Amino acid sequence: MPHDDVVVVGAGAIGLGIAWRSATRGASVTVVDPAPGSGASSVAPGMLAPVTEFHHGEYELFELNLVSSKMFPAWIAELESVSGMSTGYRRCGTVMAARDADDMISLRETFAFQQRLGMRSEMARSAEVRGIEPALGPNTRGGIHVPGDHQVEPVALLAALLSACEDRGVRFVRSGVSGILVERGKVAGLSTAEGERITCDRVVLAAGARSGMIGGLPPGFVKVRPVKGQVVELLPGDESVCPTHNVRGLDVYLVPRQDGRLVVGATVEEKGWDPHPTAGAVHDLLRYAYELFPGVTEMRFGEVRVGFRPGTPDNAPLLGPTDIEGLILATGHYRNGILLTPVTADRIATLLETGSSPEDITAFSPTRKTMKRS
Amino acid sequence: MPHDDVVVVGAGAIGLGIAWRSATRGASVTVVDPAPGSGASSVAPGMLAPVTEFHHGEYELFELNLVSSKMFPAWIAELESVSGMSTGYRRCGTVMAARDADDMISLRETFAFQQRLGMRSEMARSAEVRGIEPALGPNTRGGIHVPGDHQVEPVALLAALLSACEDRGVRFVRSGVSGILVERGKVAGLSTAEGERITCDRVVLAAGARSGMIGGLPPGFVKVRPVKGQVVELLPGDESVCPTHNVRGLDVYLVPRQDGRLVVGATVEEKGWDPHPTAGAVHDLLRYAYELFPGVTEMRFGEVRVGFRPGTPDNAPLLGPTDIEGLILATGHYRNGILLTPVTADRIATLLETGSSPEDITAFSPTRKTMKRS
């Protein structure tokens, strides 16, 4: 096998984004994945709403979400131009909706946080929010409108990224990775599940929830675990019952596609690699959707999909170099993988080019305090 | 085309049951159906519980249900022996469960009705019914246990019936029927969707919900409409959460298969031929199932299926001769098609043999008062 500048492990949105960006800047890139474009990325609803929740202690993460969100329009324009493919990207805005007084208290916290971050968003009373999103149920207590939010269709995004990578000469090895080869504290290459050896001195590990399972590294070196998520897709029916914005409730979110489909997500389950959709998840997602949009009961039932988010101990991604020379992590994006693809791709490509992490990802170093072994 | 003794239109459970029984008694039988063994029969859960509801004015129907239910074991034994195939038949009993005091009132009426019909059934208090069916939720108020009830797997039943028909020399024409040919008030044959003509002087119309759409008959002659039903199938998981009997709640029934699958049925919808599963039906079925068996939320979600029952104005089937000589109806079985297959097959075969309707189906004559044109 040839010696490559960079080998990226994982062909989800993050891995493909990095491969495309690095190759665009002149690197020779190989991507290793048994099934490029599948995995959690293909299950993600693709809601690009950087701040719809308020979490203490996640200020840097929301800042990074915002940076990536702002990069999205130009990044998509370039990708669609290079690939000649649509990604389903559109600026639909987000409506956060409150069912009751408790929900309103939570929304006010989120609104204050959005204001601190300098986002454009508006609090709306019941009648106002139903003017913006008429399919909301009559009990809706109020909401927040974020007009700048957007969405992308991850399955279309992945197809465009694959095409753009091929266009830039990225080489694909359709194989699992059995281990990263480390010699004297430095990356020496990797071995595939088929027993091939790929020689290289730089590996970007972007294998999502599987990142923690790659052999050759010390146990617990990559602190990523699978966090199961189930989403239900409803199929086009009566348009008047379906939202037109991304909608965020306290227990559910809804992402309407241009063709009338509606993605309802998502459970957050600590169930290891259990791949099965469950009756309870389908019930709960449909119930929460119905509480906000009573008319969705009339929509056609499509399917249930299961994905595994790469979760980390502090819910923030692992971005940058490690103690092993030549091993770079770009994983652990948890619930923000699609949203964080442009900024991750750009910053990791810069790191590969310059040898140092851009400042806005240093807080996400894989060697940060919260990642230290306990 | 050859002249046949009998042509049966429709290869669901009823049509195949009649064809097999008639052929066994020596008739030359042709069955016409574009897709034998599909249709509503293949969606039915196959719960063989003749009396789990009390309906004023349906005394004759429940009597017929009971007769057919009693025929089932011997009929299945013969069918499995001839076909060499399993039908999934088993005597699992039924538990009717009450969530609350209102449900209990309804169950007491059903119990009294069962006693009038001479059925073996027992009222059970909360602790007793949970002793019989331990997966029932702790709120269960009480119930009825019907130990003699049984179930069959309709998909397996249809395969066995097809095999048994072929064994008896039944001829299959895989085609739709565009019309029944009537000359001077008598059946002369029928024409297929492909334009073939089949000559015969006796037609048994057993086309289920499509029976009212067959050409060549006066409009409204066969008073059958499609009544949409949706069922959800859950897949095997933790056995302890799944019932072991047929279970009838007031809003839902659950039929557990031997391999751990659980069929949850069914909606009753007047939506014409709308073939789409809906979010609302999936939600409601899962919710009702959860109210009785909280543990089903842990079961794997399988799929939603849609079928169309043949509904009639008085909810009873249409069995016997019509004003058109040679045209016999065996349709309109509504929610009781699988259960009523043995008695329908036997009685219609007798009618074909002797020329007169057995006494216990005369109440279901297609020319009865409630079927007269309004």
Side-chain angles (χ1 to χ4, degrees), chain B residues 165-187:
Chain B
C165 282
E166 279 163 6
D167 182 73
R168 289 293 174 182
V170 171
R171 200 169 69 103
F172 283 89
V173 176
R174 281 176 170 71
S175 174
V177 170
S178 66
I180 292 173
L181 307 171
V182 180
E183 288 168 10
R184 285 181 301 274
K186 290 184 188 181
V187 165

Side-chain angles (χ1 to χ4, degrees), chain A residues 116-150:
Chain A
R116 271 174 62 202
L117 289 165
M119 283 181 73
R120 196 185 140 214
S121 64
E122 295 129 26
M123 283 293 293
R125 287 168 190 274
S126 172
E128 288 163 355
V129 73
R130 289 169 55 209
I132 295 161
E133 187 53 88
L136 276 167
N139 299 331
T140 311
R141 189 67 180 255
I144 302 175
H145 182 212
V146 189
D149 280 355
H150 28 186

Side-chain angles (χ1 to χ4, degrees), chain A residues 13-372:
Chain A
I14 296 291
L16 293 173
I18 292 166
W20 175 46
R21 183 51 73 231
S22 293
T24 302
R25 296 193 192 161
S28 166
V29 183
T30 297
V31 175
V32 189
D33 192 308
S38 64
S41 295
S42 67
V43 177
M47 179 165 78
L48 305 172
V51 187
T52 59
E53 292 166 299
F54 169 69
H55 291 294
H56 286 281
E58 294 190 4
Y59 190 82
E60 287 94 347
L61 179 57
F62 284 113
E63 286 255 291
L64 197 70
N65 281 349
L66 269 178
V67 168
S68 202
S69 179
K70 280 173 191 154
M71 292 171 74
F72 239 96
W75 185 73
I76 288 288
E78 184 186 351
L79 178 61
E80 293 192 340
S81 162
V82 168
S83 67
M85 296 165 82
S86 166
T87 63
Y89 174 81
R90 64 196 182 104
R91 192 170 281 270
C92 52
T94 296
V95 167
M96 275 165 272
R99 287 160 305 188
D100 53 32
D102 282 353
D103 283 8
M104 277 305 280
I105 291 169
S106 169
L107 282 199
R108 281 199 190 90
E109 274 197 325
T110 300
F111 180 71
F113 186 55
Q114 289 173 335
Q115 300 302 303
R116 271 174 62 202
L117 289 165
M119 283 181 73
R120 196 185 140 214
S121 64
E122 295 129 26
M123 283 293 293
R125 287 168 190 274
S126 172
E128 288 163 355
V129 73
R130 289 169 55 209
I132 295 161
E133 187 53 88
L136 276 167
N139 299 331
T140 311
R141 189 67 180 255
I144 302 175
H145 182 212
V146 189
D149 280 355
H150 28 186
Q151 67 162 279
V152 69
E153 289 196 42
V155 171
L157 176 72
L158 289 162
L161 281 169
L162 278 164
S163 169
C165 282
E166 278 163 7
D167 183 71
R168 290 292 175 184
V170 172
R171 199 168 68 103
F172 283 89
V173 176
R174 283 177 169 72
S175 175
V177 171
S178 66
I180 292 174
L181 306 171
V182 181
E183 288 168 9
R184 288 182 298 276
K186 291 185 187 182
V187 165
L190 51 81
S191 55
T192 70
E194 280 75 29
E196 272 190 291
R197 184 187 167 111
I198 298 174
T199 305
C200 64
D201 46 28
R202 287 188 299 172
V203 165
V204 178
L205 185 53
R210 298 195 176 272
S211 301
M213 301 167 73
I214 305 289
L217 303 174
F221 185 83
V222 184
K223 296 199 176 299
V224 171
R225 69 184 193 284
V227 181
K228 181 179 176 181
Q230 301 188 51
V231 302
V232 167
E233 183 171 275
L234 304 181
L235 301 178
D238 178 359
E239 277 177 25
S240 69
V241 303
C242 190
T244 56
H245 302 73
N246 300 327
V247 175
R248 192 80 175 81
L250 270 284
D251 299 310
V252 72
Y253 55 81
L254 300 97
V255 185
R257 303 290 186 222
Q258 208 132 27
D259 64 5
R261 282 174 297 146
L262 181 65
V263 182
V264 182
T267 62
V268 179
E269 303 170 70
E270 299 286 353
K271 293 271 175 71
W273 291 101
D274 167 25
H276 301 301
T278 60
V282 174
H283 170 268
D284 290 352
L285 291 172
L286 293 177
R287 178 136 202 108
Y288 298 146
Y290 160 78
E291 285 174 354
L292 291 171
F293 293 92
V296 298
T297 53
E298 297 301 316
M299 287 189 76
R300 288 163 53 196
F301 185 86
E303 57 170 359
V304 202
R305 290 192 282 257
V306 175
F308 298 97
R309 309 174 188 87
T312 63
D314 64 3
N315 296 335
L318 306 172
L319 305 175
T322 63
D323 299 340
I324 294 169
E325 195 181 323
L327 178 61
I328 292 166
L329 302 192
T331 186
H333 290 78
Y334 192 37
R335 294 162 64 185
N336 300 300
I338 301 294
L339 175 61
L340 288 173
T341 296
V343 74
T344 301
D346 180 82
R347 304 307 192 256
I348 299 294
T350 299
L351 167 60
L352 288 165
E353 221 174 5
T354 65
S356 66
S357 278
E359 203 189 317
D360 57 3
I361 65 165
T362 56
F364 305 102
S365 163
T367 60
R368 66 184 178 268
K369 206 172 166 192
T370 48
M371 292 298 128
K372 297 293 183 207

Side-chain angles (χ1 to χ4, degrees), chain B:
Chain B
M1 301 290 284
H3 180 95
D4 284 277
D5 277 355
V6 182
V7 173
V8 177
V9 179
I14 296 291
L16 292 173
I18 292 167
W20 176 46
R21 184 50 73 230
S22 293
T24 301
R25 295 194 192 161
S28 164
V29 183
T30 297
V31 175
V32 189
D33 192 308
S38 64
S41 295
S42 67
V43 177
M47 180 166 77
L48 305 174
V51 186
T52 59
E53 292 166 300
F54 169 69
H55 290 296
H56 286 282
E58 293 190 5
Y59 190 82
E60 287 93 346
L61 178 56
F62 284 112
E63 286 254 291
L64 196 69
N65 281 350
L66 268 179
V67 169
S68 203
S69 180
K70 282 174 190 154
M71 291 170 75
F72 239 96
W75 185 73
I76 288 287
E78 182 185 351
L79 178 60
E80 293 192 340
S81 160
V82 169
S83 67
M85 297 166 81
S86 166
T87 62
Y89 174 82
R90 62 195 181 105
R91 190 171 282 268
C92 53
T94 297
V95 166
M96 276 166 271
R99 289 161 304 191
D100 53 32
D102 282 352
D103 283 7
M104 278 304 280
I105 291 168
S106 170
L107 282 199
R108 282 201 189 90
E109 273 196 327
T110 301
F111 179 70
F113 186 56
Q114 289 173 334
Q115 300 302 303
R116 268 175 65 202
L117 289 165
M119 282 180 74
R120 197 185 138 211
S121 64
E122 296 127 27
M123 282 296 289
R125 285 168 192 276
S126 172
E128 289 162 356
V129 73
R130 288 169 57 210
I132 296 162
E133 186 55 88
L136 276 166
N139 299 329
T140 311
R141 191 66 181 256
I144 302 175
H145 181 213
V146 188
D149 279 356
H150 29 186
Q151 68 161 281
V152 69
E153 288 196 44
V155 171
L157 176 72
L158 290 162
L161 281 169
L162 279 164
S163 168
C165 282
E166 279 163 6
D167 182 73
R168 289 293 174 182
V170 171
R171 200 169 69 103
F172 283 89
V173 176
R174 281 176 170 71
S175 174
V177 170
S178 66
I180 292 173
L181 307 171
V182 180
E183 288 168 10
R184 285 181 301 274
K186 290 184 188 181
V187 165
L190 52 80
S191 55
T192 72
E194 280 74 30
E196 270 192 292
R197 184 188 168 114
I198 298 174
T199 305
C200 64
D201 46 29
R202 287 188 299 173
V203 165
V204 177
L205 185 53
R210 298 196 175 273
S211 301
M213 301 166 75
I214 304 290
L217 303 174
F221 185 82
V222 183
K223 295 195 177 304
V224 170
R225 70 185 191 285
V227 181
K228 182 179 177 181
Q230 301 188 50
V231 301
V232 167
E233 183 171 275
L234 304 181
L235 301 178
D238 178 0
E239 277 178 22
S240 70
V241 304
C242 190
T244 56
H245 302 72
N246 300 326
V247 175
R248 191 83 176 76
L250 269 287
D251 298 311
V252 71
Y253 54 80
L254 299 97
V255 184
R257 302 291 187 220
Q258 206 131 29
D259 64 4
R261 282 175 296 147
L262 181 65
V263 182
V264 182
T267 63
V268 178
E269 303 170 70
E270 299 286 352
K271 292 272 175 68
W273 290 100
D274 168 22
H276 301 302
T278 61
V282 174
H283 171 269
D284 290 352
L285 291 173
L286 293 177
R287 179 139 201 104
Y288 298 146
Y290 160 78
E291 285 174 353
L292 291 172
F293 292 92
V296 297
T297 54
E298 296 303 316
M299 286 189 77
R300 290 163 54 196
F301 185 85
E303 58 171 359
V304 203
R305 289 192 282 258
V306 176
F308 298 97
R309 308 174 189 87
T312 63
D314 63 4
N315 297 334
L318 306 171
L319 305 175
T322 63
D323 297 341
I324 294 169
E325 195 180 322
L327 178 62
I328 291 165
L329 301 193
T331 186
H333 290 77
Y334 191 37
R335 295 162 63 186
N336 300 300
I338 302 293
L339 175 61
L340 288 174
T341 295
V343 73
T344 301
D346 179 82
R347 303 307 190 256
I348 298 294
T350 299
L351 166 60
L352 287 164
E353 221 174 5
T354 65
S356 66
S357 279
E359 204 189 317
D360 58 3
I361 65 164
T362 55
F364 305 102
S365 163
T367 60
R368 68 186 177 267
K369 207 171 165 191
T370 48
M371 292 300 129
K372 298 294 185 206
R373 257 171 262 180
S374 51

